[in-house]
Amino acid sequence: MNILVLTWEFPPRIIGGISRHVAELYPELVKLGHKVHLITVQASGVSDYEIVDGISVYRVPVANNSDFFGWVVHMNESMVTCATKLLSEDSFDILHAHDWLVSDAAINIHQRYLIPLVATIHATEYGRYNGIHTDTQRYVNNKEIDLAAAAQRVIVCTNYMRSEVERALRCSLDKVDVVNNGLSIERATRSQYMNFDRAAFRRQFAEPDESIVYYVGRLTHEKGIYVLLNAAPKVIAETNGNVKFVIIGSGDAYSILLQHQAWDLGIYHMVVFTGFMSDDDLSKFQTIADCAVFPSLYEPFGIVALESFAAKVPVVVSDTGGLPEVVRHGVTGVVTQVNNSDSLAAGILEVLQNPGYAKQLVENAQLELKVRFAWPHLARQTETVYKSIKMY
């Protein structure tokens, strides 16, 4: 098949999880014999056209605009212009759009050229804010509804998200397919080949006899980091203070609130706020950490859990969204009650105080990565969705 992809982010432009998702999925579809043309946004230091891992990548210009939604409108117009040129030279079997930001372009191209449309909904505005409360949220929600309505098939990453798009986007379940996110072999094995002074690197965060418990990701309310800080005093007490909590991620305004919370809890000296951490340093860090914690209030999937699987770090998560589907309780990690600091503390202690159990969780998680979350497997599932449309 000849596949046309629309995505607002693609490496080296990395805003969230979509960038890595598309960069790792489509090379596998190329290996299956399909042609992939991908339209995205210009990025500094790279060509406006290049072939990346077999994908023909077209980067379109978008004028700077202080109004984000105005910027999105211009981006969609540029994508339509680029697609129109491509369609004057070739035909496409599938149009695949990633999230609401490219919805206007996707619907325009689909309707003008009658190309079957697949939409991957990575998250919903309704889910992020536990409802629609403002005009801005309503605008985004309506774009999501329009995209889901226009698409012949809608792909989501978990069964939880399948239910959410039905509820939030009024999308019929009979046209929604679940295809998990995955992790590339390169990212899954990256930390295993790093050669550095682990002891010296570890001393930046903790003393030799202290366990390291960490969170990595955006510093926002929906990630539930405040629940981790509320759980910390109990973990500190049960481990006789031999533990450090490391919070990795950017979000200046919210970071200040979290630091105030740590101070008020009397644990500020036990918490390290690193800010942004480069991929290389994060890969190093994960090799010296003892427990990864993701206490999200909302999480469609949780790719960070897979990254911790790959780094051989035992994982503790909350039972929200798709996390309990990604992390199987007692098999590949520990699942705790969402927004419950006592439950989260118990889960962390279960990992720290039972090294044999933690080792078994890590070994099981490694097996899951090689089978269930491997991109070749997920690409074949995506191919099946495409083929179902051709017969639709």
Side-chain angles (χ1 to χ4, degrees):
M1 283 179 271
N2 210 14
I3 303 160
L4 180 61
V5 180
L6 305 181
T7 174
W8 83 301
E9 55 171 310
F10 183 83
R13 179 183 168 82
I14 300 174
I15 313 298
I18 295 176
S19 183
R20 288 194 172 101
H21 176 99
V22 296
E24 295 177 4
L25 168 63
Y26 292 107
E28 298 301 330
L29 282 162
V30 170
K31 291 175 186 176
L32 292 174
H34 305 292
K35 293 180 181 179
V36 178
H37 298 258
L38 184 145
I39 303 176
T40 188
V41 177
Q42 275 183 345
S44 60
V46 290
S47 172
D48 288 351
Y49 171 76
E50 62 178 340
I51 303 221
V52 180
D53 296 327
I55 308 165
S56 295
V57 178
Y58 307 83
R59 296 186 174 92
V60 298
V62 185
N64 291 330
N65 194 325
S66 58
D67 172 22
F68 176 69
F69 293 103
W71 183 91
V72 171
V73 168
H74 189 195
M75 176 191 69
N76 277 267
E77 291 171 349
S78 294
M79 286 185 166
V80 169
T81 300
C82 180
T84 300
K85 184 176 185 302
L86 293 177
L87 282 156
S88 70
E89 303 166 352
D90 204 351
S91 60
F92 291 91
D93 302 294
I94 293 289
L95 173 63
H96 195 159
H98 288 268
D99 252 23
W100 74 269
L101 291 111
V102 300
S103 61
D104 286 353
I107 294 169
N108 182 307
I109 297 163
H110 165 62
Q111 292 178 344
R112 282 173 61 189
Y113 297 98
L114 303 179
I115 307 171
L117 174 62
V118 177
T120 293
I121 305 294
H122 294 266
T124 72
E125 194 77 352
Y126 182 99
R128 279 186 288 266
Y129 297 100
N130 194 28
I132 301 300
H133 312 288
T134 68
D135 287 342
T136 297
Q137 292 166 8
R138 192 166 296 107
Y139 176 86
V140 174
N141 179 242
N142 286 336
K143 292 293 184 185
E144 293 170 343
I145 290 171
D146 291 345
L147 179 60
Q152 276 68 62
R153 304 300 301 177
V154 173
I155 294 177
V156 294
C157 55
T158 55
N159 284 302
Y160 168 83
M161 280 299 295
R162 188 168 183 262
S163 297
E164 184 171 301
V165 297
E166 179 193 32
R167 181 176 69 254
L169 308 185
R170 303 193 291 274
C171 182
S172 174
L173 284 179
D174 63 8
K175 74 172 188 178
V176 183
D177 299 289
V178 177
V179 179
N180 290 150
N181 288 323
L183 199 69
S184 69
I185 293 173
E186 180 184 358
R187 278 206 287 159
T189 58
R190 180 174 182 165
S191 62
Q192 299 173 26
Y193 302 104
M194 302 193 76
N195 185 20
F196 65 102
D197 187 338
R198 282 173 170 74
F201 186 81
R202 197 180 194 281
R203 281 195 295 273
Q204 298 179 52
F205 308 97
E207 297 300 320
D209 61 339
E210 292 177 328
S211 299
I212 293 178
V213 175
Y214 77 93
Y215 162 86
V216 60
R218 289 181 295 114
L219 305 190
T220 60
H221 177 76
E222 71 190 60
K223 296 301 182 180
I225 309 156
Y226 72 90
V227 185
L228 174 57
L229 293 181
N230 283 336
K234 184 173 183 179
V235 177
I236 291 167
E238 292 290 328
T239 58
N240 296 316
N242 290 324
V243 62
K244 279 283 172 57
F245 294 85
V246 180
I247 309 299
I248 303 168
S250 56
D252 293 342
Y254 199 68
S255 175
I256 292 171
L257 290 177
L258 293 171
Q259 290 179 54
H260 280 303
Q261 181 188 355
W263 181 270
D264 291 342
L265 288 168
I267 60 169
Y268 188 80
H269 60 298
M270 307 293 287
V271 184
V272 180
F273 291 88
T274 71
F276 171 79
M277 185 178 285
S278 70
D279 284 347
D280 282 347
D281 280 348
L282 180 58
S283 293
K284 291 176 183 176
F285 178 84
Q286 288 173 318
T287 68
I288 54 95
D290 299 285
C291 180
V293 184
F294 304 107
S296 298
L297 308 181
Y298 171 72
E299 195 70 67
F301 185 82
I303 196 72
V304 286
L306 296 190
E307 291 169 344
S308 296
F309 284 5
K312 300 182 180 180
V313 183
V315 176
V316 177
V317 301
S318 57
D319 61 351
T320 190
L323 281 172
E325 295 177 52
V326 176
V327 180
R328 294 194 292 148
H329 180 62
V331 179
T332 60
V334 176
V335 180
T336 64
Q337 294 176 14
V338 64
N339 205 18
N340 185 325
S341 59
D342 288 336
S343 176
L344 189 65
I348 295 169
L349 289 167
E350 195 174 355
V351 167
L352 296 183
Q353 296 176 341
N354 299 281
Y357 175 60
K359 183 173 182 290
Q360 187 62 54
L361 295 178
V362 166
E363 290 173 354
N364 291 340
Q366 289 278 301
L367 291 175
E368 294 263 284
L369 273 182
K370 294 173 183 176
V371 180
R372 186 176 164 210
F373 300 113
W375 278 117
H377 168 63
L378 302 172
R380 286 190 293 273
Q381 290 184 332
T382 304
E383 180 186 52
T384 299
V385 174
Y386 292 165
K387 289 180 177 177
S388 75
I389 298 177
K390 291 176 74 67
M391 299 182 294
Y392 194 74

